[in-house]
Amino acid sequence: MRLMSLGLVPQILIGVALGAALGAIAPAVAEPLGLLGALFVGMLKAVAPLLVMLLVMSAIANRHESGSDGRKSAFTLLLYLTGTVSAAVVAVSLSFAFPQEIVLSGVAGGSPPVAVSDVLSDVLFKLIDNPVNALLTGNFLGCLTWAILLGLSFRRASSSFREHLQTLAIGVSDIVRYVIRLAPLGIFGLVCSTVATTGLDALAGYASLAVLLVSCMLIMALVVNPLLVFLVVQRNPYPIVLKCLEESGITAFFTRSSAANIPVNLNLAKKLGISEELYTVTIPIGATVNMAGAAITITVLTLAAANTLGIEVSLGGALLLCVIAALSACGASGVPSGSLLLVPLACSLFGIPLDVAMQVVAVGFVISVIQDSAETALNSSTDVVYTYAADQSRLFQPAVGGVQS
């Protein structure tokens, strides 16, 4: 009972420690417990599309969407873009300072896109997806499009219908809270499975590359993001940045799924007092297009491939890589294998053959237990950080010195 009285984060940390210990000491016992983690992630993924659709519909149908909220949404998207480009710049800078070379051997499977336009067109088609298919496949952009359109239409519905819609949204939100309470047990299962099946031996050969990737992500999370938030809200950014890393980043690190972390982020945004009309739109969009971690992965692995082949990258080429990595990262969730399968697209800028680029992707899969976890934690926590910054921005504060709710 004393354990249940602890906060959610301490319970999660206890689950991590127990899972790591069991995975290391008794792998045969720990591996089947991965089912707990798979069930937890599955429940989050199952409820997330319906939650997004109902929350957005209810917020638009029942509340007056002011021009200020519309401008805040646009400003949040600008922060997403700025953060993603900044992440690529950080990755280029550290890759130049600490150049990496990798041993190429196996070739990864999969079909990478051949042009940035392919990635971005995939995003556009997701926007106009069938609503039922969007719910079934977890296409959050499609869910968001239909939720906005239906919410606007339902503004003309009777007050009783809109009240029932809000009740339904609240009911699904309650289910999400019940699922989140299972996070310590789910993450315990995920850690058990990861440590039992992967261990850390496979990472040893690529430790330097993994350290560089994680360092870039830490600099982004603890230096660049706080700087951007400070410029927007003009006050100490670290309380909100650390709060988001604690409550969103930790769960995202172990679930390794931005989609699964959407309910966690929506719940956190509500706790932080962010405008519902803002966060119900920006959090689902952020899970799809706010990909600072993906931009870092694409940039670092591409430059490591160039160094391995002895290709000299000019300053202009590096800047172009930043732009391509940022644009590609925005559509990373539309590619089956995520950011890693976008590496060949960036490699093509320097004439790196596809077979070599796919070997680099294979290396990425080896270190993905660290790379993908850190990447998802950065991406997901940043969604809430930037949404909070836009909500509290001085640009949208009332002229008469009041504080906006």
Side-chain angles (χ1 to χ4, degrees):
M1 293 301 293
R2 292 185 62 185
L3 180 63
M4 297 300 295
S5 66
L6 295 174
L8 183 63
V9 172
Q11 290 179 34
I12 289 174
L13 294 178
I14 291 172
V16 171
L18 292 177
L22 185 60
I25 296 170
V29 176
E31 188 173 351
L33 293 176
L35 177 64
L36 297 174
L39 288 173
F40 173 65
V41 174
M43 285 188 291
L44 285 173
K45 285 185 174 180
V47 76
L50 182 62
L51 176 67
V52 167
M53 185 169 278
L54 288 175
L55 278 179
V56 174
M57 275 195 295
S58 176
I60 293 177
N62 288 288
R63 288 181 171 82
H64 174 65
E65 190 173 16
S66 67
S68 174
D69 282 317
R71 293 195 303 273
K72 286 180 180 179
S73 296
F75 187 66
T76 306
L77 295 180
L78 178 62
L79 286 175
Y80 286 166
L81 178 60
T82 303
T84 303
V85 174
S86 299
V89 172
V90 168
V92 165
S93 301
L94 285 192
S95 292
F96 277 7
F98 305 99
Q100 301 293 309
E101 292 187 7
I102 50 183
V103 177
L104 303 177
S105 53
V107 178
S111 302
V114 297
V116 177
S117 59
D118 294 337
V119 179
L120 298 183
S121 64
D122 183 72
V123 172
L124 293 176
F125 276 107
K126 283 182 178 294
L127 284 169
I128 58 171
D129 194 8
N130 178 286
V132 176
N133 186 63
L135 283 171
L136 291 175
T137 60
N139 171 13
F140 292 98
L141 289 180
C143 291
L144 197 58
T145 299
W146 283 100
I148 292 172
L149 294 174
L150 290 172
L152 291 172
S153 299
F154 291 157
R155 288 171 70 92
R156 296 190 294 271
S158 64
S159 59
S160 61
F161 176 86
R162 287 185 279 115
E163 287 174 5
H164 290 320
L165 184 62
Q166 187 170 13
T167 301
L168 190 58
I170 292 172
V172 176
S173 298
D174 287 340
I175 293 174
V176 168
R177 281 192 283 273
Y178 300 147
V179 174
I180 292 175
R181 288 179 186 174
L182 298 174
L185 191 60
I187 289 176
F188 165 76
L190 290 170
V191 175
C192 277
S193 175
T194 300
V195 175
T197 58
T198 305
L200 298 178
D201 294 340
L203 299 177
Y206 303 104
S208 178
L209 183 62
V211 167
L212 179 62
L213 282 164
V214 173
S215 297
C216 290
M217 294 175 192
L218 286 174
I219 289 173
M220 192 65 203
L222 299 175
V223 178
V224 178
N225 281 350
L227 178 60
L228 288 174
V229 173
F230 175 76
L231 292 175
V232 172
V233 303
Q234 296 292 300
R235 61 175 181 267
N236 181 7
Y238 281 99
I240 186 65
V241 168
L242 296 177
K243 179 76 170 176
C244 291
L245 286 172
E246 178 187 16
E247 298 206 13
S248 173
I250 288 178
T251 54
F253 184 90
F254 292 104
T255 61
R256 296 168 62 181
S257 170
S258 293
N261 219 48
I262 285 178
V264 176
N265 281 351
L266 291 172
N267 190 53
L268 174 58
K270 184 175 182 179
K271 286 171 59 178
L272 294 174
I274 300 173
S275 165
E276 185 176 357
E277 288 147 345
L278 176 63
Y279 74 72
T280 53
V281 173
T282 60
I283 295 298
I285 291 179
T288 305
V289 303
N290 182 33
M291 294 288 171
I296 289 171
T297 297
I298 294 167
T299 303
V300 168
L301 290 181
T302 299
L303 290 177
N307 291 334
T308 301
L309 297 179
I311 298 172
E312 187 163 344
V313 179
S314 65
L315 179 59
L319 293 176
L320 180 59
L321 174 61
C322 290
V323 175
I324 296 300
L327 290 175
S328 301
C330 288
S333 63
V335 179
S337 296
S339 60
L340 290 176
L341 273 185
L342 291 167
V343 171
L345 174 58
C347 284
S348 66
L349 289 174
F350 307 107
I352 298 173
L354 179 60
D355 61 333
V356 174
M358 292 307 289
Q359 292 181 56
V360 177
V361 173
V363 172
F365 280 118
V366 172
I367 61 173
S368 64
V369 66
I370 295 296
Q371 167 267 325
D372 195 33
S373 296
E375 178 182 310
T376 308
L378 173 61
N379 292 340
S380 194
S381 62
T382 302
D383 294 345
V384 185
V385 169
Y386 288 165
T387 298
Y388 177 87
D391 189 58
Q392 298 295 316
S393 172
R394 291 178 176 269
L395 295 173
F396 308 110
Q397 296 295 331
V400 189
V403 179
Q404 204 170 27
S405 60

